């Protein structure tokens, strides 16, 4: 049993992040939200962090050009004692410094059953449109570790969500999002109580 120290990276709404914060506050998840980083100064995710009194930072390619962005993200998460990085609707690829330092400790959520419907341009509504276009009867949610490619890291947890007759991309997204919130919390709690063990290589997680 170990309290997870979470650092969030989010670009937009941050509803997954909020679900995790709420679970921590309610004592349903043995974790501490330590810091929130967003590349979008207008993001709801930053506003949520402010409302919750969680340290938050706007770090983007404009505020920190070139490799500085990656270096600053790494500096901030380290400074706040983060041991697990949570991507929650983060629309950018992480840089090599952060990926290397936290390899095996960076999680992402994807609103479909990977390896199907993943990859560079598969995000947001496009995922659900592709699921509907393929005539799938079942879609779902995937939590996976992050590597240097889009949506390809080892899968930690998945759940299925039915596609219902008459679904639109919006109605499907709404149903899937509810399951996302539950699955992220469930997966993190499994990590906290040792039911999911992340195999980090020696020296990989540098705090
Ligand atoms: C979610 O659908 C997640 O699967 C994807 O981006 C969306 C983020 O939603 N990676 P929110 O910002 O957590 O509300």
């Amino acid at each position: 049993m170990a309290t997870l120290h979470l650092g969030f990276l989010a670009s937009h709404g941050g509803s997954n992040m909020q679900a995790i914060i709420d679970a921590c506050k309610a004592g349903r998840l043995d974790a501490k939200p330590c810091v929130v980083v967003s590349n979008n100064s207008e993001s709801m995710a930053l506003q949520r962090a402010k409302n919750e009194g969680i340290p938050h930072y706007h770090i983007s390619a404009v505020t920190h050009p070139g490799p500085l962005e990656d270096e600053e993200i790494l500096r901030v998460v380290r400074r706040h004692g983060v041991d697990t990085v949570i991507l929650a609707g983060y629309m950018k690829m992480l840089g090599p410094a952060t990926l290397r330092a936290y390899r095996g400790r960076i999680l992402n959520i994807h609103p479909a059953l990977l390896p199907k419907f993943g990859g560079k341009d598969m995000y947001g509504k496009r995922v659900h449109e592709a699921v509907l276009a393929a005539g799938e009867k079942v879609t779902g949610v995937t939590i996976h570790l992050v590597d240097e490619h889009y949506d390809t890291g080892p899968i930690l947890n998945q759940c299925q969500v039915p596609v219902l007759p008459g679904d639109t991309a919006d109605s499907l997204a709404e149903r899937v999002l509810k399951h996302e919130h539950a699955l992220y919390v469930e997966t993190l709690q499994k990590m906290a109580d040792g039911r999911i063990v992340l195999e980090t290589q020696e020296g990989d997680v540098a705090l």
Side-chain angles (χ1 to χ4, degrees):
M1 199 74 175
T3 301
L4 303 173
H5 291 80
L6 307 178
F8 294 94
L9 288 156
S11 300
H12 296 295
S15 72
N16 276 286
M17 180 189 85
Q18 187 71 56
I20 294 167
I21 293 169
D22 290 347
C24 294
K25 290 201 299 189
R28 288 184 285 116
L29 173 58
D30 186 11
K32 176 177 189 281
C34 298
V35 66
V36 175
V37 171
S38 182
N39 59 314
N40 173 6
S41 63
E42 306 282 305
S43 68
M44 186 65 194
L46 282 182
Q47 186 58 47
R48 290 179 193 274
K50 193 173 171 190
N51 296 345
E52 298 288 346
I54 299 169
H56 50 284
Y57 298 84
H58 171 222
I59 303 172
S60 74
V62 175
T63 63
H64 296 79
L68 294 180
E69 184 180 13
D70 180 25
E71 287 163 16
E72 182 65 3
I73 290 171
L74 179 56
R75 201 178 65 79
V76 162
V77 293
R78 274 183 169 154
R79 183 150 55 83
H80 287 278
V82 169
D83 56 36
T84 307
V85 175
I86 305 295
L87 304 192
Y90 188 61
M91 301 306 287
K92 301 191 75 170
M93 182 68 94
L94 275 180
T98 308
L99 274 175
R100 196 165 46 244
Y102 281 89
R103 183 171 296 281
R105 299 292 305 189
I106 307 172
L107 277 65
N108 184 41
I109 188 160
H110 187 79
L113 292 173
L114 291 175
K116 284 159 97 174
F117 307 109
K120 187 172 186 311
D121 296 317
M122 276 292 176
Y123 58 85
K125 217 168 159 176
R126 291 181 188 189
V127 178
H128 306 294
E129 283 166 353
V131 167
L132 291 173
E136 299 285 328
K137 298 279 178 282
V138 175
T139 183
V141 181
T142 303
I143 312 276
H144 66 96
L145 292 178
V146 173
D147 59 19
E148 42 284 292
H149 307 287
Y150 285 100
D151 303 327
T152 55
I155 291 171
L156 297 179
N157 207 358
Q158 287 184 311
C159 72
Q160 296 192 342
V161 179
V163 179
L164 301 179
D167 258 338
T168 61
D170 285 334
S171 66
L172 191 53
E174 194 182 324
R175 188 175 317 118
V176 169
L177 189 62
K178 287 191 185 125
H179 286 79
E180 291 186 42
H181 297 166
L183 194 74
Y184 231 156
V185 171
E186 175 195 307
T187 305
L188 288 167
Q189 185 51 34
K190 282 184 171 170
M191 284 170 56
D193 65 24
R195 282 176 290 158
I196 292 178
V197 178
L198 300 186
E199 309 236 340
T200 47
Q201 288 167 23
E202 194 183 354
D204 273 349
V205 179
L207 297 177

